[in-house]
């Protein structure tokens, strides 16, 4: 009798408030999608909650203009262009000075997906096909100059990736906002790579040297470039770019996009607190409208789709053979020495003051994205993520734990005897 009453009361309680949806379930994501797409107040609240340091340039720009309903960036027109991936036929057209024909349909058919799989599929399309902006260095490689014929193959040395079918991965040709046809870049230029026959979406393109491609364009075209900017571009090297909007010298390594759900902070200086999928979606929305010089904004459905696609990315299965004893010993050392910061299941964790980790502090204290901290990166497939640290300055895992390393900071583990350091590396290689 008493039990029956208790169950009855429990039943009544359940009817009053539905149990909260499980985080990351399809139903929860669908609910979050509605908040992002249809509720400006929810977007604004997510923005404010997700900015770690409201005083840096990244934050002040967004706080001034984002999620204001009918004002600011919300008032920009939506842009859903006609865009074509630069496949082999388009490469041939461009090389002979002709603009490839664009598809009749736009990147998005204007229909909001109704399933999680539908969002991911749309996000994949955006990732490879929605132009961030026109890029003169890519136009130069593909169209050439009067005395310098197009030469896509030689640009592969600077990290322009060609698929086996001859597509320039990440490049598109599209109708720009002003109606002119251009060659542009997408997310896939930095965040996807060709590995043999496969395209690996989410893998940082660590051979990509945007600085060198830009300098080649300025040199061959004779167009003037600020000498200070040219000097800095020459220092980026492969796999790094200075994506910040100040004149601090703080190029950042392109990260792999694995295990992003497990990353409590986004970007290496932890500029964005990853409070939930709205934080990533609005990062992508504001990145795209910034890349496009604040002329237009992407339909929000495309920013949400991008976020869903990024969460779905996983590395290809590892083919590395590991020695189980070494891995077990390394795991024990890791649990003892490293989980104070590398706390969660994917090895990620909270922010650490830049001074406590001791790596190059320029980015952490930069005017543009600075927070005073570095975030603890996830360690999923870390063996493939060299060179290490936010600025890509340590060449191998062995070098990371070498007490004689010349790059300062993150000395954790360097005091261990060589056999223990080898075990730590063995464990990390198994992740
Ligand atoms: C020119 C190269 C480049 C392009 C193009 C580019 N990114 Fe990135 N991306 C970077 C770099 C460099 C960082 C690291 C920034 C930092 O840590 O401050 C980054 C960081 C990120 C992060 C944060 C990852 C993390 O671990 O916190 C995400 C998510 C991301 N990019 C997604 C995208 C998407 C989606 C697009 C297309 C709309 C895109 N990026 C276009 C270079 C690029
Ligand atoms: C005090 C906190 C802290 C401790 C303790 C710590 N780490 Fe880290 N770790 C960090 C931070 C912060 C970074 C990012 C530093 C940067 O990019 O400048 C990092 C970066 C790394 C990286 C580079 C990842 C990449 O993709 O570049 C590896 C590998 C790593 N840690 C492994 C370890 C191991 C193994 C230990 C234990 C021996 C350890 N860490 C101990 C905070 C810590």
């Amino acid at each position: 009798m008493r039990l029956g009453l208790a169950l009855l009361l429990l039943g009544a309680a359940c009817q009053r408030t539905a149990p909260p949806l499980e985080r990351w379930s399809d139903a929860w994501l669908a609910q979050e999608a509605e908040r992002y797409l249809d509720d400006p107040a929810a977007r604004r609240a997510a923005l404010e909650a997700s900015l770690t340091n409201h005083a840096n340039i990244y934050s002040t720009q967004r706080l001034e203009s984002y999620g204001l309903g009918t004002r600011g960036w919300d008032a920009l027109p939506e842009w859903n262009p006609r865009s074509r991936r630069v496949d082999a036929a388009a490469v041939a057209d461009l090389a002979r000075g002709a603009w490839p024909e664009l598809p009749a349909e736009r990147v998005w058919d204007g229909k909001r997906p109704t399933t999680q799989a539908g969002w991911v599929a749309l996000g994949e399309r955006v990732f490879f096909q929605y132009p961030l902006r026109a890029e003169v260095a890519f136009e130069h490689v593909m169209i050439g100059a009067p005395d310098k014929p197009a030469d896509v193959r030689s640009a592969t040395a600077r990290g322009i990736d060609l698929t086996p079918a001859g597509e320039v991965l990440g490049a598109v040709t599209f109708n720009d906002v002003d109606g002119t046809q251009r060659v542009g870049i997408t997310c896939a230029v930095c965040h996807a790579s060709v590995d043999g026959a496969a395209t690996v979406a989410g893998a940082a393109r660590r051979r990509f040297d945007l600085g060198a491609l830009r300098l080649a364009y300025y040199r061959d075209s004779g167009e003037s470039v600020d000498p200070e900017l040219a000097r800095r571009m020459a220092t980026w090297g492969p796999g790094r770019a200075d994506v910040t909007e100040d004149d601090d010298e703080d190029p950042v390594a392109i990260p792999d996009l694995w295990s992003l759900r497990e990353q409590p902070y986004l970007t290496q200086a932890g500029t964005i607190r990853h409070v939930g999928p709205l934080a990533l979606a609005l990062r992508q929305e504001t990145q795209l409208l910034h890349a496009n010089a604040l002329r237009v904004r992407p339909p929000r459905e495309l920013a949400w789709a991008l976020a869903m696609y990024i969460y779905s990315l996983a590395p290809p299965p590892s083919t590395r053979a590991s020695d189980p004893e070494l891995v077990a010993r390394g795991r024990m050392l890791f649990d003892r020495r490293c989980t104070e910061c590398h706390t969660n299941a994917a090895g990620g964790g909270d922010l650490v003051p830049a001074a406590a980790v001791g790596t190059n502090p320029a980015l952490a204290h930069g005017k543009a994205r600075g927070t005073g901290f570095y975030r603890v990166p996830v360690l999923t497939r870390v063996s493939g993520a060299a060179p290490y640290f936010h600025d890509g300055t340590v060449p191998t895992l062995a070098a990371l734990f070498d007490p004689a390393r010349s790059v300062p900071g993150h000395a954790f583990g360097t005091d261990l005897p060589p056999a223990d350091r080898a075990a730590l590396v063995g464990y990390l290689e198994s992740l």
Side-chain angles (χ1 to χ4, degrees):
M1 182 65 197
R2 247 160 129 190
L3 181 69
L5 186 66
L7 285 176
L8 200 74
L9 289 173
L10 196 70
C14 286
Q15 268 172 11
R16 266 204 312 276
T17 49
L21 295 170
E22 191 192 332
R23 233 174 126 77
W24 302 112
S25 64
D26 287 3
W28 181 75
L29 288 170
Q31 193 180 64
E32 293 293 292
E34 263 179 43
R35 295 203 313 127
Y36 173 68
L37 296 170
D38 300 330
D39 183 354
R43 285 201 297 277
R44 179 69 194 185
L47 174 80
E48 291 177 10
S50 69
L51 294 171
T52 307
N53 168 17
H54 281 207
N56 62 29
I57 299 175
Y58 186 88
S59 298
T60 50
Q61 282 174 338
R62 281 158 182 76
L63 289 166
E64 269 166 25
S65 305
Y66 184 79
L68 301 176
T70 52
R71 291 181 297 120
W73 296 342
D74 285 12
L76 291 172
E78 284 189 358
W79 189 54
N80 177 25
R82 292 167 64 201
S83 175
R84 167 177 170 174
R85 292 166 68 153
V86 178
D87 52 23
V91 170
D93 282 346
L94 290 165
R96 60 183 176 81
W99 283 107
E101 199 174 321
L102 293 178
E105 70 274 14
R106 299 181 180 261
V107 174
W108 181 41
D109 64 7
K111 296 193 195 97
R112 203 183 265 193
T114 53
T115 61
Q116 184 58 17
W119 281 115
V120 171
L122 177 60
E124 180 175 28
R125 195 170 156 88
V126 177
F127 191 85
F128 287 99
Q129 208 173 325
Y130 191 90
L132 270 93
R133 55 176 169 76
E135 173 52 59
V136 284
F138 274 58
E139 278 177 345
H140 180 59
V141 166
M142 287 168 218
I143 301 172
D147 53 350
K148 181 107 183 151
D151 189 0
V152 178
R153 295 242 157 236
S154 78
T156 54
R158 293 187 174 127
I160 290 219
D161 267 10
L162 290 177
T163 68
E167 175 181 334
V168 183
L169 191 68
V172 286
T173 176
F174 66 105
N175 260 351
D176 207 349
V177 179
D178 62 9
T180 57
Q181 194 171 341
R182 301 290 304 266
V183 173
I185 56 171
T186 67
C187 312
V189 141
C190 293
H191 292 294
S193 296
V194 173
D195 182 10
T199 290
V200 188
R205 181 110 48 103
R206 297 197 165 84
R207 286 166 292 109
F208 182 52
D209 195 338
L210 183 59
L213 286 164
R214 277 287 184 83
L215 290 172
Y217 161 75
Y218 293 122
R219 191 186 56 231
D220 296 343
S221 69
E223 194 177 309
S224 70
V225 52
D226 171 24
E228 173 55 19
L229 180 63
R231 185 192 63 73
R232 287 171 51 187
M233 282 180 177
T235 67
W236 295 350
R240 304 200 312 170
D242 192 341
V243 290
T244 62
E245 37 292 269
D246 59 13
D247 50 14
D248 293 340
E249 220 149 313
D250 49 8
V252 201
I254 307 169
D256 292 329
L257 299 179
W258 316 138
S259 304
L260 228 63
R261 287 179 189 191
E262 250 78 41
Q263 191 67 271
Y265 285 84
L266 299 176
T267 80
Q268 325 250 19
T271 310
I272 301 162
R273 197 177 287 125
H274 195 188
V275 291
L278 268 71
L280 180 57
L282 68 88
R283 175 192 190 269
Q284 297 317 140
E285 181 186 348
T286 58
Q287 175 186 24
L288 285 171
L289 61 83
H290 250 280
N292 226 320
L294 304 177
R295 296 176 298 177
V296 287
R297 65 174 175 82
R300 262 178 219 114
E301 283 81 356
L302 301 193
W304 185 260
L306 256 184
M308 295 305 107
Y309 178 61
I310 293 170
Y311 288 135
S312 81
L313 293 171
S318 172
T319 52
R320 189 185 279 274
S322 50
D323 167 356
E325 258 174 56
L326 191 74
V327 171
R329 173 152 186 77
R331 176 196 292 271
M332 186 200 70
L333 290 162
F334 186 83
D335 286 347
R336 208 185 284 158
R337 294 288 200 108
C338 319
T339 48
E340 165 202 337
C341 297
H342 294 271
T343 48
N344 71 26
D350 281 325
L351 297 182
V352 177
V357 66
T359 49
N360 182 342
L363 182 73
H365 294 302
K367 291 186 284 295
R369 312 264 172 126
T371 57
F373 296 88
Y374 285 118
R375 62 101 182 264
V376 178
V378 295
L379 299 175
T380 307
R381 214 45 65 73
V382 68
S383 59
Y388 298 104
F389 292 161
H390 68 276
D391 51 356
T393 44
V394 175
T396 61
L397 283 174
L400 190 62
F401 301 108
D402 181 353
R405 144 158 73 85
S406 59
V407 175
H410 197 284
F412 316 111
T414 56
D415 58 325
L416 292 168
D420 284 353
R421 301 204 307 262
L424 213 44
V425 169
Y427 169 63
L428 292 173
E429 284 176 348
S430 75
L431 298 177

